[in-house]
Amino acid sequence: MNPKIADHHRSRSAYVYLRQSTPGQVLHHQESTERQYALRGKAEELGWSQAAIRTLDRDLGKSGAQTAGREDFKTLVADVSMGQVGAVFALEASRLSRSDLDWHRLLELCALTQTLVIDEDGCYDPADFNDGLLLGLKGTMAKAELHFLRMRLQGGKLNKAKKGELRFPLPVGFCNDEQGHIILDPDEEVRGAVAFVFRLFRETGSAFAVVQRFAESGLRFPKRAYGGAWAGKLIWGRLTHSRVLAILKNPSYAGMYVFGRYQYRVQISAQGEVRKRMQAVAMPDWRVRLPEHHEGYITLEEFLKNKERLEKNRTNGEETVLGGPAREGAALLQGLLLCGRCGRAITVRYTTGHGGVYPMYVCNWLHREGLATKDCMGFRCDVLDPVIVEEMLKALQPAELELALAALQELETRDQAMLRQWQMRLERAEYEAALAERRYQEVDPAQRLVASTLERRWNDALLQLQDLKKQIAEVLRQEARVATPEQKEKVLALARDLPRVWHAPTTQAKDRKRMLRLLIKDITVEKPQPKQLLVHIRWQGGASTDRSIQLPLNIADRLRYPTAAVERVRELAQGLLDVQIADQLNREGLSSPRGKPYTTRIVQWIRWRYQIPPAKLKKPEELTVQQVARQFGVGDGVVYYWIEHRLLTARRLNEGRPYWITLTAAEEHKLRDWVHNSSRISSAS
């Protein structure tokens, strides 16, 4: 018996802790597992009863580099700290933990609670200085051992990778030959599907558009299974957006051998746990890059262009100013406009007006960030779009025939590639049906159960072949084909007349935007004056074109009377009445901004709006009715009575205008006598 084991140790439980770092070790290294379970027998030999021995085996297949995920280790630490454990059994003491922090914390708790640590080498009392020193040294040596092993393994992998000989699962479209070299997949349908992905991305510029084209054409895409019963077999299914991105970002398709595209990054979680996450690293930080290592589907230049295009397609990147694939929508220049004031991208907004919903180009970044009190600029799309289209058609006019021939060739090549994919799919289905038939015919008729299964598989293969033929017939019926000479001549005639193709109702907005992006790199817009745009077009070849555009007036400015009409009213108002001014303007052929003839009310509003005084037609010697009434001390009605009975000489320009009275000395003397002798006026006054 070991003298370090006392009765108070045996009075408490003995914990047998089992751990192996990976599930693969648990599966393939079962001898180690059996040795760890056998520690129960060692605990019984040292004096612990069967009931006092507890086995902790839930941490099998989990790394000891950290506490996270090791529930049994947490249970062990908690029970040790409560003084419930007399001894901890492990195959090797270092298996308890590979972390210095967890290892020394456990030893410190064992020392405080007088808990022993027992492995195959001996029994240790952490409270004893020599035993504690030895356990600490064992932990340090275990960590150093792991470091050395890791460095050796990683060094070997890196050295082999530098020679391009490190083998790893290859992306779909590649496989290894007998010598271990990377070659293109011998299956022509697989190669055609991969090549078609790159072709569609060159055409559409969008990974999602590639997925849509595959779905619209009814094409499948393969993936190769690794591990299990399906190891090495091809599984055909639907192409997804994530798979397209993985293909476009994989340098293997450009013939480059790469090692170190992803690396582990250690992070501390909110709970204080150390976690490792796999993260992609930048291309300059890849540890091994061997260009032209094997045959690829695209060139390295095209791979880099594809990566750049994918980055530009992102709309949530802070460093991305212009970009994004061509999308649906009426805004033709979406993703091409730059603000000449702040340098940010001009975005698209849809506004509701009297004519319905219409798009606008707006730059409001400074306003949105609180750096300005208003937007940099904003204008309707139909103001700028026709000008850019005019410049584009003008630039393309000399090359229309070449464009027609290139378009025809592109249509034929794309058509042949898609038909070839369907043809190879049909050939595969016919082969599988023939194989099922041959297996059925070669089976022993006495094996009825086997024969019935093979017969059912043969029937299923024939049904799949029949359905596939129907699908191909439907695709051939729906898809437009460029095959006959008449069709070719129509395409050539249509392509020669590029403006008609551009403005055709069948041409989608997305296709128009793609044409623009092939020619125009970006467009900078300035607004030097409130109603003027200065446009700088930068073409893909490096040349530039400048255009000045006059913005349309707003509704208030369009309904405002022109300066010439206002000045004409001011001139006529010096000697004519409002009705005479309206008649004169109409005789001169003038009309209001709404196209209506001038009226007295319109002339009155113009005089009020622009503070034009009426004509001064009253003579200096003439008096008004009110002035005469005050002069004789009578009411206005008396003066109107005198005018009606021609006792006064009065005139007025027209009906409704005031009277202007010329009072002579004789009339004044006569009227004063009349007022003096009038009893009614005298009594009233």
Side-chain angles (χ1 to χ4, degrees):
M1 300 299 291
N2 195 308
K4 295 181 181 179
I5 304 176
D7 293 338
H8 65 86
H9 292 129
R10 297 187 182 91
S11 63
R12 291 179 286 180
S13 300
Y15 279 32
V16 178
Y17 182 75
L18 284 71
R19 188 187 65 78
Q20 285 177 276
S21 298
T22 63
Q25 292 180 356
V26 179
L27 180 64
H28 302 292
H29 301 168
Q30 297 183 0
E31 295 296 330
S32 176
T33 308
E34 293 180 4
R35 292 176 60 197
Q36 293 184 73
Y37 276 111
L39 292 175
R40 291 183 60 92
K42 185 173 183 179
E44 292 180 12
E45 294 176 359
L46 295 177
W48 275 274
S49 63
Q50 186 72 26
I53 302 174
R54 181 178 177 182
T55 302
L56 305 177
D57 57 0
R58 288 188 300 171
D59 290 348
L60 284 171
K62 298 179 180 179
S63 173
Q66 57 186 3
T67 310
R70 292 201 295 155
E71 299 301 326
D72 272 352
F73 183 77
K74 295 178 181 178
T75 301
L76 174 63
V77 173
D79 292 351
V80 168
S81 63
M82 297 294 292
Q84 300 176 2
V85 182
V88 178
F89 286 82
L91 190 63
E92 300 171 1
S94 60
R95 284 181 182 257
L96 294 173
S97 179
R98 298 295 189 183
S99 170
D100 284 343
L101 177 62
D102 298 336
W103 172 251
H104 288 287
R105 183 176 59 177
L106 176 61
L107 293 184
E108 185 176 0
L109 291 175
C110 290
L112 292 175
T113 57
Q114 296 183 353
T115 302
L116 301 177
V117 177
I118 303 175
D119 62 6
E120 285 195 336
D121 292 336
C123 177
Y124 308 96
D125 183 4
D128 182 73
F129 173 78
N130 293 323
D131 288 355
L133 182 63
L134 184 57
L135 287 174
L137 183 60
K138 275 196 167 189
T140 303
M141 293 297 295
K143 187 171 183 179
E145 179 186 9
L146 289 178
H147 172 74
F148 294 145
L149 290 175
R150 185 181 299 109
M151 291 300 296
R152 291 171 185 170
L153 293 175
Q154 292 294 334
K157 289 178 63 177
L158 182 60
N159 185 63
K160 201 168 186 178
K162 289 180 178 179
K163 298 184 293 183
E165 298 176 356
L166 181 64
R167 298 183 63 173
F168 42 77
L170 297 174
V172 64
F174 292 101
C175 61
N176 293 109
D177 60 6
E178 293 79 3
Q179 290 78 28
H181 300 152
I182 300 176
I183 59 173
L184 299 182
D185 198 301
D187 194 319
E188 187 178 356
E189 186 179 4
V190 175
R191 298 198 307 272
V194 174
F196 203 53
V197 169
F198 290 106
R199 177 183 182 82
L200 289 179
F201 186 75
R202 283 193 298 269
E203 178 183 341
T204 62
S206 169
F208 187 72
V210 175
V211 178
Q212 286 182 317
R213 287 289 184 88
F214 262 77
E216 292 170 357
S217 303
L219 299 177
R220 306 179 304 170
F221 196 81
K223 64 178 179 180
R224 194 172 296 278
Y226 291 96
W230 293 86
K233 294 185 178 180
L234 283 175
I235 302 175
W236 292 85
R238 181 177 60 88
L239 180 63
T240 61
H241 183 253
S242 59
R243 295 206 65 197
V244 175
L245 291 178
I247 292 172
L248 296 174
K249 294 180 180 180
N250 196 328
S252 297
Y253 291 101
M256 179 186 291
Y257 182 92
V258 173
F259 177 75
R261 290 175 60 205
Y262 298 91
Q263 295 181 9
Y264 280 109
R265 293 289 186 266
V266 179
Q267 297 178 345
I268 300 178
S269 65
Q271 295 77 22
E273 299 176 347
V274 179
R275 295 181 178 178
K276 289 184 177 180
R277 291 186 58 186
M278 184 76 77
Q279 291 183 350
V281 299
M283 187 172 179
D285 298 331
W286 293 348
R287 308 182 76 175
V288 176
R289 286 185 295 173
L290 302 178
E292 300 181 0
H293 176 266
H294 54 270
E295 184 180 359
Y297 288 85
I298 57 176
T299 62
L300 183 58
E301 291 76 13
E302 184 176 354
F303 168 73
L304 297 176
K305 289 181 180 179
N306 291 343
K307 284 193 63 178
E308 182 180 359
R309 179 175 258 179
L310 289 175
E311 288 297 324
K312 288 184 178 180
N313 287 353
R314 294 181 57 188
T315 57
N316 59 345
E318 183 65 25
E319 67 281 356
T320 303
V321 178
L322 290 181
R327 304 176 186 274
E328 300 82 358
L332 188 63
L333 307 178
Q334 164 256 336
L336 291 176
L337 297 181
L338 283 171
C339 176
R341 179 185 176 189
C342 66
R344 307 292 297 186
I346 298 179
T347 56
V348 180
R349 297 290 184 272
Y350 287 87
T351 307
T352 304
H354 294 293
V357 179
Y358 57 88
M360 289 189 64
Y361 294 126
V362 179
C363 179
N364 60 354
W365 183 81
L366 291 176
H367 190 192
R368 189 175 66 248
E369 296 295 326
L371 302 176
T373 57
K374 61 179 182 179
D375 298 344
C376 295
M377 64 183 68
F379 50 91
R380 287 183 57 160
C381 296
D382 53 10
V383 175
L384 181 59
D385 290 355
V387 177
I388 303 301
V389 172
E390 179 185 350
E391 292 293 332
M392 184 204 70
L393 295 178
K394 188 188 302 182
L396 285 179
Q397 191 171 5
E400 285 185 356
L401 184 58
E402 296 180 5
L403 287 175
L405 297 175
L408 180 59
Q409 184 178 1
E410 180 71 18
L411 287 173
E412 290 181 338
T413 306
R414 184 181 65 183
D415 185 66
Q416 293 173 0
M418 188 177 64
L419 286 178
R420 180 57 181 159
Q421 287 299 116
W422 279 104
Q423 182 181 359
M424 289 186 292
R425 183 176 176 181
L426 180 62
E427 292 176 1
R428 185 183 298 275
E430 291 175 347
Y431 167 76
E432 292 176 353
L435 180 62
E437 179 184 6
R438 187 164 61 251
R439 288 174 176 172
Y440 171 73
Q441 292 175 353
E442 292 176 355
V443 71
D444 187 356
Q447 296 286 342
R448 294 183 179 273
L449 297 178
V450 178
S452 62
T453 301
L454 294 178
E455 183 181 10
R456 184 175 65 254
R457 292 179 179 176
W458 182 22
N459 291 332
D460 293 341
L462 292 175
L463 291 175
Q464 292 179 3
L465 179 61
Q466 185 178 1
D467 293 340
L468 183 59
K469 290 181 178 179
K470 292 180 180 179
Q471 293 178 18
I472 295 177
E474 184 69 18
V475 169
L476 292 175
R477 184 181 65 83
Q478 292 181 355
E479 293 290 338
R481 300 295 162 199
V482 183
T484 64
E486 293 80 7
Q487 290 174 327
K488 291 182 180 180
E489 186 60 31
K490 287 181 180 180
V491 172
L492 280 173
L494 189 62
R496 289 192 190 101
D497 191 4
L498 188 58
R500 188 157 61 96
V501 177
W502 180 272
H503 297 291
T506 54
T507 304
Q508 299 181 0
K510 186 185 295 186
D511 296 329
R512 295 190 181 99
K513 295 177 185 180
R514 287 173 183 157
M515 289 188 233
L516 273 177
R517 290 166 186 240
L518 292 175
L519 297 174
I520 298 176
K521 190 171 186 180
D522 56 57
I523 303 171
T524 303
V525 182
E526 300 181 39
K527 199 171 184 181
Q529 298 179 6
K531 293 301 178 181
Q532 183 185 12
L533 290 180
L534 189 58
V535 181
H536 308 278
I537 307 172
R538 187 164 62 143
W539 305 91
Q540 292 288 0
S544 61
T545 304
D546 297 339
R547 283 288 300 267
S548 179
I549 304 173
Q550 194 68 29
L551 294 177
L553 300 175
N554 52 35
I555 185 63
D557 293 332
R558 290 198 298 270
L559 295 180
R560 185 175 290 116
Y561 289 90
T563 305
V566 175
E567 293 301 323
R568 183 59 177 157
V569 171
R570 190 185 304 275
E571 178 184 352
L572 295 175
Q574 296 178 2
L576 298 178
L577 300 174
D578 292 343
V579 61
Q580 296 171 334
I581 295 174
D583 293 340
Q584 180 63 26
L585 293 176
N586 292 331
R587 282 195 299 269
E588 294 177 0
L590 301 178
S591 60
S592 68
R594 293 182 180 271
K596 297 180 179 180
Y598 280 93
T599 62
T600 304
R601 187 179 297 275
I602 292 177
V603 175
Q604 290 174 349
W605 187 91
I606 293 176
R607 287 198 304 101
W608 172 83
R609 172 66 179 80
Y610 295 98
Q611 299 181 357
I612 301 175
K616 296 180 180 180
L617 303 178
K618 177 176 166 291
K619 298 178 181 179
E621 65 274 10
E622 291 180 332
L623 301 174
T624 64
V625 172
Q626 292 77 15
Q627 290 175 339
V628 173
R630 287 195 299 270
Q631 184 174 347
F632 289 96
V634 297
D636 295 348
V638 176
V639 179
Y640 284 115
Y641 175 83
W642 291 343
I643 295 172
E644 183 179 354
H645 290 81
R646 300 184 183 278
L647 299 177
L648 285 175
T649 303
R651 72 179 182 94
R652 62 177 176 176
L653 299 177
N654 52 36
E655 191 70 26
R657 297 291 295 180
Y659 285 100
W660 294 331
I661 303 169
T662 303
L663 186 62
T664 63
E667 291 175 342
E668 182 179 0
H669 180 71
K670 180 181 179 180
L671 291 175
R672 285 191 182 279
D673 291 342
W674 190 87
V675 172
H676 179 71
N677 296 327
S678 175
S679 59
R680 181 180 298 178
I681 296 177
S682 300
S683 61
S685 55

